[in-house]
Amino acid sequence: MLTIAKYEAIQMLRDPLVIIMSTVMPLGMAGFLYWQIGDVDISPVAAMIPFIMGAFVVYGAAVTALASRRQNLFLKRLRCTAESDAGIVLGLVSTLVLLAVIEAVGVLAVFAVLQTPPANILLTVVVGILVLALYVGFALATAGFTKSADSAQVTTIPVAMGLIGIATWVMVTGTETLTGLKLALPGGAAVELALGAWRGIEWADAAIPMLITLVWTAIAFLAAKVFFKWEPRR
Amino acid sequence: MASDTLIKVRDLVVSYGDYRAVGGVSFSVERGELYALLGTNGAGKTSTLETLEGHRAPFSGTVTAFGLSPRDRRSVRPRTGIMLQESGFAPTLTVLETVKLFGALSGRGDDARRVVEVAGLAEKARVRVSQLSGGEKRKLDFATAIYGTPELIFLDEPTAGLDIEARDQLWAAVDVIRGQGATVILTTHYLEEAEQHADRIGLMHRGKIRMEGSFRELARSFPAKVHFEAAVEQASIPFPAEATGPYSWVIATDDAERDVYELQSWARRHEIGIHGLAVRRASLDDIFRTLSR
């Protein structure tokens, strides 16, 4: 798994477009949000950071990489080795996840210095991990029906836009109205948790959103198990 | 001496939906053998090979490698090298990096530089895969398969796209590995390679193995051909002869020695001059054509 991750990192460093897409885009968006609303209250911007990193650094790049590596039979070749399927998948996505974590930690650290740090750091970390895991699960599932790197530009739109859209909607309108719907939608409970973690939610109040987020993460990985394919369709 | 069977295939059926690619194939491969699986396009040899490699589950029947399921990757793959029919490499990695990557994942130890040299890619070690020709990618494929000298090596069309020199180099490398005890399972479209290198050949057609044996055994079951030139009429020749040109004849025979003796006796009796007498055994090409008709 670590060997695959190492060589994925080498490949990433040799592709300027991937570097730009996975650093300039998400960091630029984080900066834009901070510039727009961050000076009033940092918590909504901070709550969006895991979603921005998940969508731009992990999800889109992972779907593109997996589809392209399946199409050129790189995945099949990896399965010719003694590495397990789980090890191969982890190796392929871990570089992206690590990059997302580094960027998210960096941005949140800057926010904490410029404004206020999160009231519940542990919960912030847990939510961040869950959101990234949610995107990884959806990436594997989406890659299953994405034929090529080119078609990833289309197939990634629903989940990428959907999750960010839901998170933005819940963040902007709050959960006082349509509470059940907002929490039940994928990412809705997670952004509620992220907001709470920054503002200081009690662990007891975090239980239900946490449970819903866990359920969505499980659904994403179940979808990945069902839809993910190792070889191009014959 | 007890037999040491590495691969056992019994009544293997491989299906894709309603299409049955392999329809009940049985064979075994002994340790140290080079077994060639040959067949027409769509005969089912790649499906059979991929099942042996563990990429595909049988629809029915059993397949074992080293007595284990080929899908038990953790146990089987460290002992197995696989050269796929098509390359699947990361274009931005170099040749050496690619061999190091797949070598590290193979579960076997070796020196990546040595393997690159054996595969004939020493001068391309630092070149990116995207800059390799098709033949060089086949060599890279071969390098990843032989890393760590596995006990069992699958070679799927290993010399497709290679020039003569590269083919000879690859077969020399295979001979060295076989000398170290490796077992090889081969598919190829170059029938002369199977003739020269295979201990046994399985001829597949429409999802089944139609014939199996060493090349000599296969050739024995097909008639040899006696070619000669004689200024005679067809009707006067004491065998059913086919004209291949003006006064050029060919006779199909199951016993070339006997029939050549009789032909020469007949010629002496009638004072007929025979020229260009030659006996040609059935080639794998002939067998293959007969099988696919």
Side-chain angles (χ1 to χ4, degrees), chain A residues 14 76-77 79 83 85, chain B residues 50 73 77 97 141:
Chain A
R14 287 177 184 168
K76 184 176 182 179
R77 178 168 298 284
R79 289 185 105 203
E83 188 64 67
D85 285 352
Chain B
E50 290 194 340
R73 294 220 301 265
R77 288 296 161 77
E97 286 168 345
D141 230 325

Side-chain angles (χ1 to χ4, degrees), chain B residues 223-230 237 239-245 247-253 256 259-260 263-264 274-283 286:
Chain B
K225 286 177 178 170
V226 179
H227 297 258
F228 64 98
E229 290 170 12
I237 302 171
F239 302 97
E242 191 185 322
T244 56
Y247 302 121
S248 290
W249 309 98
V250 60
I251 298 167
T253 173
D259 289 349
V260 165
L263 183 71
Q264 287 177 321
I274 287 185
H275 306 281
L277 182 66
V279 178
R280 196 166 73 84
R281 276 192 322 173
S283 69
D286 299 327

Side-chain angles (χ1 to χ4, degrees), chain B residues 130-162:
Chain B
S130 60
Q131 294 169 320
L132 296 180
S133 68
E136 287 165 345
K137 282 180 186 164
R138 295 307 288 151
K139 290 181 184 178
L140 180 56
D141 230 325
F142 180 67
T144 61
I146 63 168
Y147 187 97
T149 318
E151 292 172 62
L152 173 63
I153 305 175
F154 292 98
L155 302 177
D156 197 354
E157 304 283 355
T159 53
L162 295 186

